[in-house]
Amino acid sequence: MGGKIYVVGIGPGHPSQRTFAAIDAIAKSEVVVGYETYIKLVEDLLGGKEVVSAKMRQEVYRAEVSIAKALEGKTVALVSDGDPQVFGMAPLLFEMLAKRGISVDVEVVPGVTAALAAGARLGSPLGSDFVVLNLSPLLTPEDVILHRALKAAEGDFVIALYNPIDSGLLRRVLEVVKAVRGPSTPVGVVKNAYREGEAVKITTLGEVDVDEVDMRTILIVGNSETFVWGSYMITPRGYSRKYRL
């Protein structure tokens, strides 16, 4: 009998943000595979299961182990934080299966993304069209990242910035956006959303403290209509253009 791989989005970290489907998929699995930090976030669900915990940058290894276990006939939960499609394990797993011509049953279980979690803590900054941009240069060349940042700024999209692991690149991206949007554009900075050590701050493009940012931080840059009201960052959807509010 063939095995199965659940690619599970566990959300931002806190158990309250897990979906019922994610909990059920892990419960059905004999093997749970994931980055060591993600494994710790679901350790309350791991009783009696085979657990394969991997280090940072061992994504290919995680996918290979999941495939191998499934081909042995086992049910596997390959866990990602947030949603597994959004800079998570799903794209890599499917690419490896396709390139190797391996047929195995795969089900993607969606989760609450980092952008959605950070947006919820800020109010409603994602109320209009938005872009998620990964700032890690490990897999995407810097010039491509800067080009995409420029086009997102010119398109007046709200921009959620993921994985700001390179402070120099983050500064260049913010400068590119600031040249289009202006220094007074609101920016939400959320560290450890729904995890221990959570910190939420609203600032502007001209005042972002890059030294306070790490890879656990999401930055949300507003568009031309985004405004701050009290402790909330708000991007209107456009109702005021049609209705009297």
Side-chain angles (χ1 to χ4, degrees), residues 12 112-126 160-162 188-194 198-202 216-220 233:
V112 176
T113 70
L116 296 179
R121 288 312 201 199
L122 291 163
S124 59
L126 305 179
L161 300 174
Y162 278 61
V189 182
V190 182
K191 182 181 292 187
N192 292 317
Y194 292 91
E198 180 182 82
V200 180
K201 180 179 182 180
I202 297 177
R216 299 166 298 170
T217 305
I218 295 290
L219 296 91
I220 298 181
M233 183 174 167

Side-chain angles (χ1 to χ4, degrees), residues 8-13 35 37-38 41 62 78-89 111-114 162-163 195 215:
V8 183
I10 62 172
Y35 171 46
T37 297
Y38 308 157
L41 292 174
R62 283 181 252 161
L78 174 58
V79 297
S80 285
D81 69 343
D83 182 278
Q85 294 185 81
V86 184
F87 311 130
M89 288 299 300
V112 176
T113 70
Y162 278 61
N163 296 325
R195 295 186 189 180
M215 67 175 294

Side-chain angles (χ1 to χ4, degrees), residues 79-143:
V79 297
S80 285
D81 69 343
D83 182 278
Q85 294 185 81
V86 184
F87 311 130
M89 288 299 300
L92 173 60
L93 179 72
F94 280 117
E95 183 178 8
M96 288 174 61
L97 290 171
K99 287 184 179 299
R100 298 179 184 188
I102 298 173
S103 180
V104 64
D105 187 12
V106 180
E107 181 177 338
V108 177
V109 181
V112 176
T113 70
L116 296 179
R121 288 312 201 199
L122 291 163
S124 59
L126 305 179
S128 187
D129 299 331
F130 65 94
V131 167
V132 292
L133 184 63
N134 192 336
L135 298 191
S136 171
L138 298 176
L139 299 175
T140 305
E142 290 189 17
D143 60 336

Side-chain angles (χ1 to χ4, degrees), residues 208-221:
V208 174
D209 187 350
V210 173
D211 293 331
E212 291 182 349
V213 174
D214 61 21
M215 67 175 294
R216 299 166 298 170
T217 305
I218 295 290
L219 296 91
I220 298 181
V221 182

Side-chain angles (χ1 to χ4, degrees), residues 33-36 38 52-68 76 78-80 88-89 92-93 96:
V33 181
Y35 171 46
E36 57 189 359
Y38 308 157
V52 180
S53 179
K55 300 290 185 182
M56 179 70 76
R57 301 185 187 179
Q58 291 185 320
E59 294 88 353
V60 172
Y61 168 73
R62 283 181 252 161
E64 286 181 332
V65 169
S66 299
I67 294 168
V76 182
L78 174 58
V79 297
S80 285
M89 288 299 300
L92 173 60
L93 179 72
M96 288 174 61

